[in-house]
């Protein structure tokens, strides 16, 4: 298993290697495999990317996000401009359905409304994430109820088996009243999130409770590094 100092080095090198990310003012602290990110970044896109990239580093058990978004003066935009740009990018997209609403307060974007699928909800947030001046995003979009497939849990488990990034032998799912509960142990945070995404794709799933535990010892790279 990696030591905290090894993990610190890997996270730092991974963030530094990423060409589209400005993480020059990001501080990294590691304790027992839990990575705490602090400091400042110039955009919400960098804030989000820093966390996602860190989650993909082998050996990371959890990420505590304490970074602040400090938009450079030349990129600051008023709330009306941000709201207009967000409304346009959502309208021009082909994935997000009409009816998603945008509210902006002090650069913080709140999305509301309804979608048929979780991937549409996530796409709405993704579209707004890269707009200049955005300080943060609260996604309050609700996934609509739609008819459940027969044997939803089996379909989700089959999806785990088809996914190259998921060890289906280590994860399981229960579905009750349109709520999917995920159990098991995986090697990386990325694998944990992949399992959750797969569960969200099933017909009739309205909520997903991810109780999967991350154990870096199970990751192939973690085993090699041990």
């Amino acid at each position: 298993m990696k030591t905290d100092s090894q993990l610190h080095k890997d996270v730092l090198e991974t963030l530094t290697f990423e060409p589209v990310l400005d993480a020059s003012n990001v501080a990294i602290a590691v304790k027992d495999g839990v990575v705490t990110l602090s400091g400042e970044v110039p955009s919400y896109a960098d804030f989000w990317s820093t966390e996602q990239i860190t989650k993909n580093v082998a050996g990371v058990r959890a990420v505590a996000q304490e970074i602040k978004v400090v938009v450079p003066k030349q990129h600051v935009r008023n709330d009306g401009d941000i709201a207009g740009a967000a409304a346009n990018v959502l309208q021009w997209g082909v994935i997000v359905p009409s009816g998603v609403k945008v509210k902006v307060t002090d650069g913080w974007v709140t999305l509301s409304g309804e979608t048929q699928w979780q991937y549409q909800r996530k796409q709405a947030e993704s579209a707004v994430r890269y707009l200049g001046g955005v300080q943060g995003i609260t996604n309050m979009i609700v996934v609509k109820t739609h008819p459940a497939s027969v044997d939803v849990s089996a379909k989700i488990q089959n999806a785990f088996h088809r996914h190259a990034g998921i060890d289906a032998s280590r994860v399981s799912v229960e579905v009750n009243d349109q709520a999917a509960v995920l159990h098991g142990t995986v090697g990386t945070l990325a694998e944990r999130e992949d399992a959750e995404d797969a569960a969200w794709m099933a017909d009739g799933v309205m909520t997903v409770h991810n109780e999967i535990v991350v154990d870096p010892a199970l990751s192939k790279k973690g085993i090699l590094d041990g």
Side-chain angles (χ1 to χ4, degrees):
M1 290 296 297
K2 292 180 181 178
T3 64
D4 286 345
S5 61
Q6 288 174 321
L7 194 53
H8 182 282
K9 179 175 180 291
D10 285 353
V11 172
L12 177 61
E13 290 181 349
T14 302
L15 292 177
T16 303
F17 182 74
E18 180 56 53
V20 299
L21 174 66
D22 182 0
S24 55
N25 292 318
V26 173
I28 303 164
V30 184
K31 184 175 181 180
D32 298 329
V34 177
V35 179
T36 300
L37 303 172
S38 58
E40 298 178 354
V41 291
S43 71
Y44 182 73
D46 284 343
F47 173 94
W48 181 86
S49 296
T50 301
E51 181 176 340
Q52 297 305 309
I53 291 168
T54 301
K55 286 180 178 179
N56 284 320
V57 176
V60 174
R61 294 177 51 242
V63 177
Q65 177 61 285
E66 298 179 0
I67 293 174
K68 294 181 180 179
V69 178
V70 181
V71 179
K73 290 183 178 180
Q74 66 270 28
H75 294 149
V76 172
R77 303 170 71 182
N78 64 49
D79 289 346
D81 287 343
I82 296 173
N88 285 337
V89 75
L90 291 173
Q91 181 181 1
W92 294 337
V94 297
I95 294 178
V96 181
S98 60
V100 172
K101 300 177 179 62
V102 180
K103 178 182 177 182
V104 183
T105 304
D106 296 330
W108 198 281
V109 179
T110 299
L111 302 174
S112 60
E114 295 182 337
T115 62
Q116 289 285 345
W117 297 95
Q118 171 72 356
Y119 77 85
Q120 295 171 322
R121 180 179 184 272
K122 293 180 69 173
Q123 181 60 34
E125 182 174 334
S126 178
V128 175
R129 182 182 304 136
Y130 299 96
L131 296 177
V134 172
Q135 295 277 351
I137 299 174
T138 299
N139 193 340
M140 299 180 65
I141 297 172
V142 176
V143 179
K144 286 183 179 179
T145 302
H146 44 86
S149 300
V150 177
D151 201 355
V152 179
S153 59
K155 289 198 171 186
I156 295 174
Q157 198 69 46
N158 288 338
F160 292 162
H161 283 282
R162 292 193 299 269
H163 197 297
I166 301 173
D167 185 346
S169 67
R170 291 198 173 100
V171 294
S172 62
V173 59
E174 302 173 38
V175 179
N176 295 298
D177 297 326
Q178 298 182 308
V181 183
L182 307 182
H183 303 282
T185 306
V186 297
T188 66
L189 280 171
E191 186 176 359
R192 183 179 188 271
E193 293 190 352
D194 284 344
E196 182 172 330
D197 288 342
W200 270 115
M201 294 299 292
D203 289 344
V205 171
M206 296 300 301
T207 57
V208 176
H209 303 289
N210 196 340
E211 299 181 1
I212 295 173
V213 176
V214 177
D215 181 358
L218 296 179
S219 72
K220 294 178 180 179
K221 194 171 191 319
I223 294 172
L224 292 174
D225 290 338

